[in-house]
Structure formats: structure tokens, C-alpha cells
Amino acid sequence: MNVFIVHAHPEPKSFNTALRDLSVNVLEKEGHSVTLSDLYAMNFNPVAGPDDFRDRADPDYLVYALEQRHGWETKTLAPDILAETGKLLWCDLLILHFPLYWFSVPAIMKGWIDRVLVSGLTYGGRRFYDRGGLKGKRAMVTCTLGGREHMLDRDEAIHGRLTDMLKPLLQGTLAYTGMTVLPPFAAWHVPYVDDTTRAGYLETYADRLAKLDSLSPVAYPSLDDFDDKMTPR
Ligand code: FAD
């Protein structure tokens, strides 16, 4: 399969980057093709704005999502966006690698989402969830945290469940655009544990990468269960 890894960590020697390198090595060894976007190394522009469009449908008033649709139809989006959409369309599996920042992704990755998951391509009108533009692809989050596992492993935990914390990403972004979402992989308390524990995370992650097909996806809504006004049937 084709795997597209999007990585956001500012330090090439970080533990997070070690997990990313493991993804590349294990998946390539298994015979998969891997493409990497290392957003900091690319100096990726995360700011969605008027320069993202080389031909405006409405030059007088910017409605970002409408210009995305026009830019996608006419292939006049900025070249850095089109390069990323090309990798996205190529892949069967998207892996987002990042350190958790404020219960979410680092800003550079949020900007990648805003600019690259283009309206008209990944969603639009009634094309979302299991009718989204990226239907048929799988997505997985691989993140490192400062927090400990027991702070995020159940509803009663101090922060609730990790999958609930990451809902805007897992449901509002990956599932919304049609992808099948695999359970996130988390390395807990990373800066504070010892080397042996971190080595254990790498081992567990390598094991997970070798068994991706056996993972049960996280369940998200199907439009079949909702009427035309998106009210539950
Ligand atoms: P690093 O600091 O890069 O690495 C930790 C240690 O691992 C280092 O000693 C390094 O030398 C060592 N190491 C590197 N490579 C290897 C290897 N191959 N094998 C073994 N050891 C290795 N955390 C939360 O839980 N929730 C939050 O909401 C949150 N918000 C944050 C917001 C901001 C703005 C910031 C800066 C941090 C936040 N954090 C939060 C913490 C952050 O998520 C963690 O610090 C980060 O994920 C740790 O991973 P890292 O890769 O950066 O670790």
C-alpha cells in the first residue's frame, strides 16, 4: 500500500521523530511505499490566506472554502497545496505524527489541515463522513504526550479519553473527510520516563505497524442514519 506520513516536530533528534523514522523503516521493510512530509523541515506555510489562490473566483471578497473549490476545479491552488493534495490522493494510509500541543496538533499541522484538506476534494455539500472525498483511505494518529496514560484512559480520567480529546482531529477532520480512522497510538509521559520505557514504546509501535490490518477502526457516524436535514432517522 501507499503510505503518506505527515510529521510535525521541530527537533530532528526528538523521540517523536524516532517514532516517525520507525514508521518509515518498518513500513518500507514490509514492502509498502512511503512518502513523508516533514512540515518543519519543509518550512511549510501553515497560514491559510489569499495567497493560496492563483485565480480567484471572487477577487473582491475572500470566502476561503469557496475559493478552495474553485482552485481545486481549476487546479490553480498554490503549488505547495497541490503538491500535498497529490500525496494525499496517492496514499491508502495517512499517518499523522506529532507531539500533543494543548490537547491538539501543533499549529504547523493545523495549518496543513486547513490548507490541504481542500473543500471540493475532501468534502463539500453532503460529501462528508462515509460519503467524504477521501473514502476508501485509512488514517492513523501517532502522538507523543507529556501526560500519563491513566490521565486519559477512561471517561472518569482527569482529561477523559484520548479519543475524546482528539475528537476534532479524529472525527471532525479524518472521519469527516471520509477516511476510516484507526485507533491512535500514544507514547505517554515521554520526556519523564526512562530510556527502557521509551524503547518499549518503540517496540510496541513497531508491533502495531506490522498488524495494521487487524486493528478495529474507531466508529463514527454514517450518513445513512440521518435524514436530509441531518436529523437522526
Ligand atoms: P523529546 O523531548 O524529544 O524526547 C524525550 C526524551 O527521549 C529525550 O531525552 C530524548 O533524548 C529521548 N529520545 C530521543 N530519541 C530516543 C530514542 N530513539 N529512544 C529513546 N529515547 C529517545 N502534553 C500533553 O500531554 N498534553 C498537552 O496538551 C500538551 N501540550 C503541550 C503544548 C506545548 C506548546 C508543548 C511544547 C508541549 C505540550 N505537551 C503536552 C508536552 C508534549 O506533548 C511532549 O513534551 C512531547 O510530546 C514529548 O515528545 P518529544 O518527542 O518532544 O520528546
mmCIF file of all heavy atoms in Angstrom, residues 9 11 13-18 98-104 144-147 152 165 190-192 195 198-199 202, ligand 1:
data_model
loop_
_atom_site.group_PDB
_atom_site.id
_atom_site.type_symbol
_atom_site.label_atom_id
_atom_site.label_comp_id
_atom_site.label_asym_id
_atom_site.label_seq_id
_atom_site.Cartn_x
_atom_site.Cartn_y
_atom_site.Cartn_z
ATOM 1 N N HIS A 9 7.376 17.953 14.063
ATOM 2 C CA HIS A 9 8.175 18.128 15.282
ATOM 3 C C HIS A 9 9.387 18.976 14.926
ATOM 4 O O HIS A 9 10.057 18.701 13.934
ATOM 5 C CB HIS A 9 8.623 16.787 15.877
ATOM 6 C CG HIS A 9 9.033 16.909 17.313
ATOM 7 N ND1 HIS A 9 10.167 17.604 17.699
ATOM 8 C CD2 HIS A 9 8.447 16.480 18.463
ATOM 9 C CE1 HIS A 9 10.252 17.584 19.021
ATOM 10 N NE2 HIS A 9 9.219 16.918 19.509
ATOM 11 N N GLU A 11 12.282 19.228 16.308
ATOM 12 C CA GLU A 11 13.620 18.717 16.672
ATOM 13 C C GLU A 11 13.863 17.361 15.974
ATOM 14 O O GLU A 11 13.208 16.370 16.300
ATOM 15 C CB GLU A 11 13.702 18.559 18.203
ATOM 16 C CG GLU A 11 14.940 17.825 18.696
ATOM 17 C CD GLU A 11 16.248 18.413 18.152
ATOM 18 O OE1 GLU A 11 16.520 19.600 18.393
ATOM 19 O OE2 GLU A 11 16.979 17.685 17.452
ATOM 20 N N LYS A 13 16.109 15.253 16.443
ATOM 21 C CA LYS A 13 16.572 14.169 17.325
ATOM 22 C C LYS A 13 15.511 13.792 18.368
ATOM 23 O O LYS A 13 15.795 13.043 19.296
ATOM 24 C CB LYS A 13 17.882 14.585 18.032
ATOM 25 C CG LYS A 13 19.047 14.784 17.060
ATOM 26 C CD LYS A 13 20.378 14.951 17.768
ATOM 27 C CE LYS A 13 20.504 16.267 18.523
ATOM 28 N NZ LYS A 13 20.493 17.483 17.690
ATOM 29 N N SER A 14 14.321 14.305 18.218
ATOM 30 C CA SER A 14 13.282 14.057 19.232
ATOM 31 C C SER A 14 12.837 12.595 19.232
ATOM 32 O O SER A 14 13.032 11.863 18.243
ATOM 33 C CB SER A 14 12.057 14.938 18.954
ATOM 34 O OG SER A 14 11.428 14.530 17.759
ATOM 35 N N PHE A 15 12.211 12.201 20.317
ATOM 36 C CA PHE A 15 11.638 10.855 20.382
ATOM 37 C C PHE A 15 10.527 10.707 19.345
ATOM 38 O O PHE A 15 10.391 9.662 18.699
ATOM 39 C CB PHE A 15 11.110 10.569 21.789
ATOM 40 C CG PHE A 15 10.573 9.180 21.913
ATOM 41 C CD1 PHE A 15 11.429 8.093 21.933
ATOM 42 C CD2 PHE A 15 9.207 8.953 21.974
ATOM 43 C CE1 PHE A 15 10.937 6.790 22.015
ATOM 44 C CE2 PHE A 15 8.709 7.656 22.065
ATOM 45 C CZ PHE A 15 9.578 6.580 22.088
ATOM 46 N N ASN A 16 9.761 11.769 19.188
ATOM 47 C CA ASN A 16 8.687 11.760 18.193
ATOM 48 C C ASN A 16 9.244 11.461 16.798
ATOM 49 O O ASN A 16 8.651 10.690 16.025
ATOM 50 C CB ASN A 16 8.005 13.142 18.219
ATOM 51 C CG ASN A 16 6.681 13.133 17.504
ATOM 52 O OD1 ASN A 16 6.658 13.156 16.293
ATOM 53 N ND2 ASN A 16 5.598 13.081 18.268
ATOM 54 N N THR A 17 10.385 12.056 16.476
ATOM 55 C CA THR A 17 10.999 11.805 15.169
ATOM 56 C C THR A 17 11.496 10.363 15.084
ATOM 57 O O THR A 17 11.460 9.743 14.004
ATOM 58 C CB THR A 17 12.133 12.812 14.904
ATOM 59 O OG1 THR A 17 11.626 14.131 15.115
ATOM 60 C CG2 THR A 17 12.634 12.712 13.469
ATOM 61 N N ALA A 18 11.929 9.805 16.225
ATOM 62 C CA ALA A 18 12.337 8.388 16.224
ATOM 63 C C ALA A 18 11.132 7.497 15.874
ATOM 64 O O ALA A 18 11.271 6.526 15.126
ATOM 65 C CB ALA A 18 12.915 8.004 17.588
ATOM 66 N N PHE A 98 2.855 13.557 15.552
ATOM 67 C CA PHE A 98 3.026 14.876 16.187
ATOM 68 C C PHE A 98 3.082 14.754 17.714
ATOM 69 O O PHE A 98 2.541 13.795 18.281
ATOM 70 C CB PHE A 98 1.879 15.819 15.785
ATOM 71 C CG PHE A 98 0.519 15.320 16.203
ATOM 72 C CD1 PHE A 98 -0.016 15.649 17.448
ATOM 73 C CD2 PHE A 98 -0.229 14.511 15.370
ATOM 74 C CE1 PHE A 98 -1.263 15.180 17.841
ATOM 75 C CE2 PHE A 98 -1.474 14.044 15.752
ATOM 76 C CZ PHE A 98 -1.994 14.375 16.990
ATOM 77 N N PRO A 99 3.716 15.721 18.383
ATOM 78 C CA PRO A 99 3.608 15.820 19.841
ATOM 79 C C PRO A 99 2.310 16.545 20.172
ATOM 80 O O PRO A 99 1.940 17.504 19.489
ATOM 81 C CB PRO A 99 4.827 16.680 20.214
ATOM 82 C CG PRO A 99 5.082 17.524 19.013
ATOM 83 C CD PRO A 99 4.605 16.762 17.814
ATOM 84 N N LEU A 100 1.608 16.079 21.175
ATOM 85 C CA LEU A 100 0.359 16.746 21.559
ATOM 86 C C LEU A 100 0.679 18.151 22.081
ATOM 87 O O LEU A 100 1.507 18.308 22.980
ATOM 88 C CB LEU A 100 -0.345 15.935 22.650
ATOM 89 C CG LEU A 100 -1.794 16.294 22.899
ATOM 90 C CD1 LEU A 100 -2.688 15.783 21.770
ATOM 91 C CD2 LEU A 100 -2.292 15.727 24.231
ATOM 92 N N TYR A 101 0.059 19.146 21.499
ATOM 93 C CA TYR A 101 0.200 20.531 21.949
ATOM 94 C C TYR A 101 -1.196 21.019 22.354
ATOM 95 O O TYR A 101 -2.095 21.087 21.494
ATOM 96 C CB TYR A 101 0.730 21.430 20.820
ATOM 97 C CG TYR A 101 2.233 21.418 20.593
ATOM 98 C CD1 TYR A 101 3.085 20.554 21.279
ATOM 99 C CD2 TYR A 101 2.811 22.303 19.675
ATOM 100 C CE1 TYR A 101 4.459 20.563 21.056
ATOM 101 C CE2 TYR A 101 4.180 22.312 19.455
ATOM 102 C CZ TYR A 101 4.999 21.437 20.141
ATOM 103 O OH TYR A 101 6.358 21.461 19.905
ATOM 104 N N TRP A 102 -1.376 21.359 23.602
ATOM 105 C CA TRP A 102 -2.659 21.914 24.062
ATOM 106 C C TRP A 102 -3.837 21.038 23.631
ATOM 107 O O TRP A 102 -4.783 21.529 23.003
ATOM 108 C CB TRP A 102 -2.843 23.359 23.581
ATOM 109 C CG TRP A 102 -1.848 24.284 24.179
ATOM 110 C CD1 TRP A 102 -0.826 24.943 23.555
ATOM 111 C CD2 TRP A 102 -1.775 24.668 25.566
ATOM 112 N NE1 TRP A 102 -0.110 25.690 24.448
ATOM 113 C CE2 TRP A 102 -0.665 25.544 25.694
ATOM 114 C CE3 TRP A 102 -2.515 24.352 26.706
ATOM 115 C CZ2 TRP A 102 -0.294 26.097 26.916
ATOM 116 C CZ3 TRP A 102 -2.135 24.918 27.924
ATOM 117 C CH2 TRP A 102 -1.043 25.783 28.005
ATOM 118 N N PHE A 103 -3.749 19.738 23.929
ATOM 119 C CA PHE A 103 -4.833 18.789 23.616
ATOM 120 C C PHE A 103 -5.033 18.643 22.103
ATOM 121 O O PHE A 103 -6.082 18.179 21.651
ATOM 122 C CB PHE A 103 -6.183 19.217 24.217
ATOM 123 C CG PHE A 103 -6.349 19.009 25.710
ATOM 124 C CD1 PHE A 103 -5.279 19.095 26.574
ATOM 125 C CD2 PHE A 103 -7.604 18.734 26.244
ATOM 126 C CE1 PHE A 103 -5.446 18.906 27.944
ATOM 127 C CE2 PHE A 103 -7.780 18.539 27.612
ATOM 128 C CZ PHE A 103 -6.695 18.632 28.463
ATOM 129 N N SER A 104 -4.086 19.038 21.294
ATOM 130 C CA SER A 104 -4.334 19.098 19.853
ATOM 131 C C SER A 104 -3.029 18.930 19.073
ATOM 132 O O SER A 104 -2.019 18.505 19.624
ATOM 133 C CB SER A 104 -5.004 20.444 19.542
ATOM 134 O OG SER A 104 -5.369 20.533 18.186
ATOM 135 N N THR A 144 3.007 11.754 20.696
ATOM 136 C CA THR A 144 3.721 11.676 21.971
ATOM 137 C C THR A 144 3.071 12.679 22.916
ATOM 138 O O THR A 144 2.544 13.704 22.478
ATOM 139 C CB THR A 144 5.211 12.013 21.788
ATOM 140 O OG1 THR A 144 5.324 13.246 21.061
ATOM 141 C CG2 THR A 144 5.936 10.918 21.012
ATOM 142 N N LEU A 145 3.120 12.373 24.201
ATOM 143 C CA LEU A 145 2.477 13.233 25.193
ATOM 144 C C LEU A 145 3.394 13.453 26.387
ATOM 145 O O LEU A 145 4.249 12.607 26.680
ATOM 146 C CB LEU A 145 1.196 12.589 25.731
ATOM 147 C CG LEU A 145 -0.009 12.436 24.828
ATOM 148 C CD1 LEU A 145 0.095 11.153 24.033
ATOM 149 C CD2 LEU A 145 -1.287 12.432 25.641
ATOM 150 N N GLY A 146 3.120 14.557 27.090
ATOM 151 C CA GLY A 146 3.712 14.741 28.409
ATOM 152 C C GLY A 146 2.879 13.991 29.450
ATOM 153 O O GLY A 146 3.393 13.487 30.440
ATOM 154 N N GLY A 147 1.577 13.908 29.217
ATOM 155 C CA GLY A 147 0.640 13.301 30.168
ATOM 156 C C GLY A 147 0.833 11.802 30.322
ATOM 157 O O GLY A 147 1.422 11.139 29.466
ATOM 158 N N LEU A 152 -5.789 9.649 30.792
ATOM 159 C CA LEU A 152 -6.506 9.709 29.514
ATOM 160 C C LEU A 152 -7.070 8.370 29.055
ATOM 161 O O LEU A 152 -7.327 8.188 27.871
ATOM 162 C CB LEU A 152 -5.519 10.190 28.423
ATOM 163 C CG LEU A 152 -5.264 11.692 28.418
ATOM 164 C CD1 LEU A 152 -3.870 12.013 27.977
ATOM 165 C CD2 LEU A 152 -6.276 12.370 27.524
ATOM 166 N N MET A 165 -10.494 13.520 23.563
ATOM 167 C CA MET A 165 -9.666 14.730 23.488
ATOM 168 C C MET A 165 -9.343 15.066 22.028
ATOM 169 O O MET A 165 -9.333 16.226 21.623
ATOM 170 C CB MET A 165 -8.355 14.512 24.262
ATOM 171 C CG MET A 165 -7.395 15.667 24.152
ATOM 172 S SD MET A 165 -5.800 15.299 24.936
ATOM 173 C CE MET A 165 -6.200 15.560 26.629
ATOM 174 N N VAL A 190 6.412 11.047 27.788
ATOM 175 C CA VAL A 190 7.670 10.754 27.078
ATOM 176 C C VAL A 190 8.922 11.424 27.667
ATOM 177 O O VAL A 190 9.949 10.761 27.837
ATOM 178 C CB VAL A 190 7.489 11.083 25.570
ATOM 179 C CG1 VAL A 190 8.819 11.208 24.850
ATOM 180 C CG2 VAL A 190 6.648 10.004 24.921
ATOM 181 N N PRO A 191 8.892 12.707 28.004
ATOM 182 C CA PRO A 191 10.140 13.309 28.494
ATOM 183 C C PRO A 191 10.518 12.830 29.899
ATOM 184 O O PRO A 191 11.659 13.038 30.325
ATOM 185 C CB PRO A 191 9.825 14.814 28.542
ATOM 186 C CG PRO A 191 8.572 14.998 27.762
ATOM 187 C CD PRO A 191 7.809 13.711 27.868
ATOM 188 N N TYR A 192 9.610 12.196 30.626
ATOM 189 C CA TYR A 192 9.819 11.921 32.052
ATOM 190 C C TYR A 192 10.085 10.448 32.344
ATOM 191 O O TYR A 192 10.451 10.096 33.461
ATOM 192 C CB TYR A 192 8.608 12.406 32.862
ATOM 193 C CG TYR A 192 8.177 13.784 32.441
ATOM 194 C CD1 TYR A 192 7.014 13.991 31.698
ATOM 195 C CD2 TYR A 192 8.969 14.896 32.755
ATOM 196 C CE1 TYR A 192 6.648 15.261 31.274
ATOM 197 C CE2 TYR A 192 8.606 16.170 32.328
ATOM 198 C CZ TYR A 192 7.440 16.335 31.584
ATOM 199 O OH TYR A 192 7.085 17.591 31.155
ATOM 200 N N ASP A 195 14.848 5.507 29.589
ATOM 201 C CA ASP A 195 15.158 5.035 28.227
ATOM 202 C C ASP A 195 14.518 3.675 27.944
ATOM 203 O O ASP A 195 14.094 3.404 26.816
ATOM 204 C CB ASP A 195 16.681 4.921 28.036
ATOM 205 C CG ASP A 195 17.290 6.273 27.707
ATOM 206 O OD1 ASP A 195 16.533 7.183 27.301
ATOM 207 O OD2 ASP A 195 18.515 6.425 27.872
ATOM 208 N N ARG A 198 10.953 4.162 27.020
ATOM 209 C CA ARG A 198 10.845 4.702 25.650
ATOM 210 C C ARG A 198 11.178 3.623 24.624
ATOM 211 O O ARG A 198 10.512 3.519 23.586
ATOM 212 C CB ARG A 198 11.744 5.935 25.482
ATOM 213 C CG ARG A 198 11.126 7.205 26.065
ATOM 214 C CD ARG A 198 11.887 8.443 25.642
ATOM 215 N NE ARG A 198 13.206 8.495 26.232
ATOM 216 C CZ ARG A 198 13.501 9.130 27.365
ATOM 217 N NH1 ARG A 198 12.571 9.798 28.017
ATOM 218 N NH2 ARG A 198 14.727 9.118 27.833
ATOM 219 N N ALA A 199 12.162 2.790 24.912
ATOM 220 C CA ALA A 199 12.488 1.684 23.988
ATOM 221 C C ALA A 199 11.283 0.753 23.866
ATOM 222 O O ALA A 199 10.987 0.235 22.781
ATOM 223 C CB ALA A 199 13.718 0.925 24.487
ATOM 224 N N LEU A 202 8.819 2.118 21.421
ATOM 225 C CA LEU A 202 9.239 1.882 20.030
ATOM 226 C C LEU A 202 8.899 0.448 19.616
ATOM 227 O O LEU A 202 8.418 0.206 18.503
ATOM 228 C CB LEU A 202 10.740 2.158 19.856
ATOM 229 C CG LEU A 202 11.175 3.630 20.035
ATOM 230 C CD1 LEU A 202 12.692 3.750 20.066
ATOM 231 C CD2 LEU A 202 10.606 4.515 18.918
HETATM 232 P P1 FAD B 1 11.652 14.661 23.449
HETATM 233 O O1 FAD B 1 11.771 15.727 24.485
HETATM 234 O O2 FAD B 1 12.187 14.930 22.088
HETATM 235 O O3 FAD B 1 12.293 13.316 23.923
HETATM 236 C C1 FAD B 1 12.194 12.863 25.250
HETATM 237 C C2 FAD B 1 13.474 12.092 25.557
HETATM 238 O O4 FAD B 1 13.586 10.968 24.672
HETATM 239 C C3 FAD B 1 14.756 12.907 25.365
HETATM 240 O O5 FAD B 1 15.592 12.718 26.485
HETATM 241 C C4 FAD B 1 15.387 12.299 24.124
HETATM 242 O O6 FAD B 1 16.799 12.386 24.131
HETATM 243 C C5 FAD B 1 14.920 10.859 24.226
HETATM 244 N N1 FAD B 1 14.981 10.130 22.960
HETATM 245 C C6 FAD B 1 15.083 10.608 21.692
HETATM 246 N N2 FAD B 1 15.157 9.606 20.813
HETATM 247 C C7 FAD B 1 15.061 8.460 21.525
HETATM 248 C C8 FAD B 1 15.049 7.082 21.170
HETATM 249 N N3 FAD B 1 15.178 6.686 19.903
HETATM 250 N N4 FAD B 1 14.929 6.167 22.151
HETATM 251 C C9 FAD B 1 14.794 6.538 23.454
HETATM 252 N N5 FAD B 1 14.816 7.838 23.855
HETATM 253 C C10 FAD B 1 14.942 8.791 22.889
HETATM 254 N N6 FAD B 1 1.480 17.178 26.693
HETATM 255 C C11 FAD B 1 0.255 16.671 26.998
HETATM 256 O O7 FAD B 1 0.158 15.539 27.475
HETATM 257 N N7 FAD B 1 -0.886 17.409 26.773
HETATM 258 C C12 FAD B 1 -0.839 18.658 26.220
HETATM 259 O O8 FAD B 1 -1.889 19.257 25.982
HETATM 260 C C13 FAD B 1 0.445 19.195 25.905
HETATM 261 N N8 FAD B 1 0.537 20.444 25.383
HETATM 262 C C14 FAD B 1 1.777 20.927 25.039
HETATM 263 C C15 FAD B 1 1.860 22.195 24.449
HETATM 264 C C16 FAD B 1 3.090 22.695 24.074
HETATM 265 C C17 FAD B 1 3.152 24.035 23.375
HETATM 266 C C18 FAD B 1 4.266 21.938 24.311
HETATM 267 C C19 FAD B 1 5.614 22.480 23.903
HETATM 268 C C20 FAD B 1 4.201 20.703 24.894
HETATM 269 C C21 FAD B 1 2.958 20.162 25.262
HETATM 270 N N9 FAD B 1 2.836 18.908 25.833
HETATM 271 C C22 FAD B 1 1.601 18.412 26.157
HETATM 272 C C23 FAD B 1 4.021 18.038 26.016
HETATM 273 C C24 FAD B 1 4.461 17.389 24.708
HETATM 274 O O9 FAD B 1 3.402 16.705 24.091
HETATM 275 C C25 FAD B 1 5.593 16.404 24.988
HETATM 276 O O10 FAD B 1 6.647 17.102 25.584
HETATM 277 C C26 FAD B 1 6.107 15.739 23.727
HETATM 278 O O11 FAD B 1 5.092 15.026 23.089
HETATM 279 C C27 FAD B 1 7.239 14.767 24.090
HETATM 280 O O12 FAD B 1 7.712 14.108 22.945
HETATM 281 P P2 FAD B 1 9.065 14.579 22.224
HETATM 282 O O13 FAD B 1 9.292 13.725 21.059
HETATM 283 O O14 FAD B 1 9.041 16.051 22.011
HETATM 284 O O15 FAD B 1 10.106 14.239 23.375
#
